[in-house]
Amino acid sequence: PPPHRFVPWGGGARLEGVAASIGGALSSLVDGGDHLIAIGTVTALVRGLPPIDPLVFFDRRYRIKVRERVGAAFAAARA
């Protein structure tokens, strides 16, 4: 696996180089039958620095999207 490290921020543990991170506070757990549903409040949000290469699970495997497509979408969203 590639090397990784955690970086400090106000929302808890965050891996360096991620596309985005959400920090939160747990409010309650609700019985969902064969699983639990966690309900909470978002307390911190950060978007990674470009270029962002999101990890996508598709067709039974993980893929990293093409950097140029993501960069173009990021630029268009900021315009």
Side-chain angles (χ1 to χ4, degrees):
H4 64 275
R5 71 182 188 98
F6 289 100
V7 293
W9 75 300
R14 178 171 69 93
L15 283 173
E16 180 179 55
V18 296
S21 292
I22 301 173
L26 182 63
S27 298
S28 63
L29 291 174
V30 179
D31 185 5
D34 61 346
H35 60 280
L36 290 174
I37 300 169
I39 299 174
T41 303
V42 174
T43 58
L45 179 63
V46 66
R47 180 170 41 178
L49 299 174
I52 298 172
D53 290 327
L55 182 63
V56 177
F57 186 77
F58 175 72
D59 197 22
R60 294 176 294 198
R61 66 182 189 150
Y62 287 99
R63 304 163 192 254
I64 295 176
K65 289 195 153 209
V66 178
R67 191 172 284 198
E68 291 77 20
R69 289 183 188 169
V70 175
F74 181 78
R78 295 191 72 187

